[in-house]
Amino acid sequence: MCRHLAYLGPPTSLAELLLSPAHGLLRQSWAPRRQRNGTMNADGFGAGWYAPGDPVPARYRRAVPMWADASFADVARVTTSTAVLAAVRSATPGTTPDEAAAAPYRDGRWLFSHNGRVDGWPGSVAALAAQLPPVRLLSLEARVDSALLWALVQERLAAGDSAADALAAVVEGLSNTTTGRFNLLLTDGTTIAATAAGDTLCWRSDGAGTVVASEPSDDAPGWHRVPDGSVLTATRNDVEVRPLSVPARTRPDLP
Ligand code: GLN
């Protein structure tokens, strides 16, 4: 996925969050403003959201561009939630093209997305795959680098890590084994964790809720850029950013 977003806050419709903003995910699917790799995100999209009384989030995913799915616009207009994770995809070459590879990936109450790539996929992944038990490898959601990273995160969550600790441990471990871009995004509907490791990430938190996103959805004030080489934790009212113990990329940040 090349642009992603997570939200916690007062009930809002998926359309208000994703489709209406001048530079929201819909617009980012064909005209992202800060994307460092690729120019469009037309290889699919997905949204996951939490409904009252059910800890397992619902997902709507498609292999078509977000702008090409009129049914999503209709559903998004009348679907409201206090917690959402959504993404638009620019596929890494050689990966599954269908909706199974579109984020968010899910495990119980968790939703996950990856903006970036594992360099050299799939030839480069032997060392990563070796860290996973066979049952986890056989349960990959799709044949895609992002699903492999999700499996590594799932292992950390299953071992009891917090969301931010799981993402940090995986990204720090990756820097010893492979190269690539590893902006990860994870929520359980009450907390958001995210890494900035090779691509852009920002956040805004105010009375309208907390948004963590690859890039700002509008030009209103209040957006903060996350420095590369960081892990972020957010709740409805609070955002914390701490450095990862990996070298930050040297490429200068875009405005
Ligand atoms: N590697 C992921 C995929 O193929 C994400 C790609 C991206 O961020 N451009 O879906």
Side-chain angles (χ1 to χ4, degrees), residues 1-2 89-92 95 114-116 144-146:
M1 289 294 153
C2 253
R89 182 176 188 213
S90 169
T92 300
T95 59
H114 165 223
N115 160 215
V144 52
D145 51 358
S146 307

Side-chain angles (χ1 to χ4, degrees), residues 143-165:
R143 205 181 55 254
V144 52
D145 51 358
S146 307
L148 189 66
L149 300 187
W150 172 220
L152 293 167
V153 172
Q154 286 175 286
E155 280 293 294
R156 303 296 315 195
L157 292 173
D161 278 11
S162 69
D165 287 351

Side-chain angles (χ1 to χ4, degrees), residues 76-230:
R77 191 171 49 82
V78 298
T79 303
T80 60
S81 181
T82 57
V84 177
L85 191 153
V88 291
R89 182 176 188 213
S90 169
T92 300
T95 59
T96 302
D98 63 48
E99 73 187 44
Y105 303 143
R106 181 176 66 190
D107 182 4
R109 65 187 205 279
W110 295 105
L111 291 173
F112 173 84
S113 169
H114 165 223
N115 160 215
R117 60 176 287 164
V118 176
D119 290 343
W121 167 271
S124 60
V125 301
L128 298 181
Q131 298 169 25
L132 290 167
V135 68
R136 189 74 80 189
L137 270 178
L138 290 168
S139 318
L140 285 191
E141 291 203 36
R143 205 181 55 254
V144 52
D145 51 358
S146 307
L148 189 66
L149 300 187
W150 172 220
L152 293 167
V153 172
Q154 286 175 286
E155 280 293 294
R156 303 296 315 195
L157 292 173
D161 278 11
S162 69
D165 287 351
L167 297 193
V170 167
V171 173
E172 288 166 359
L174 285 165
S175 68
N176 299 324
T177 20
T178 186
T179 59
R181 301 187 302 277
F182 309 121
N183 280 39
L184 310 182
L185 183 63
L186 179 67
T187 187
D188 61 357
T190 57
T191 301
I192 297 168
T195 54
D199 212 321
T200 55
L201 185 72
C202 63
W203 61 272
R204 182 166 69 188
S205 189
D206 54 27
T210 296
V211 176
V212 178
S214 301
E215 60 182 65
S217 313
D218 56 43
D219 290 330
W223 290 102
H224 301 265
R225 192 181 56 75
V226 179
D228 198 60
S230 306

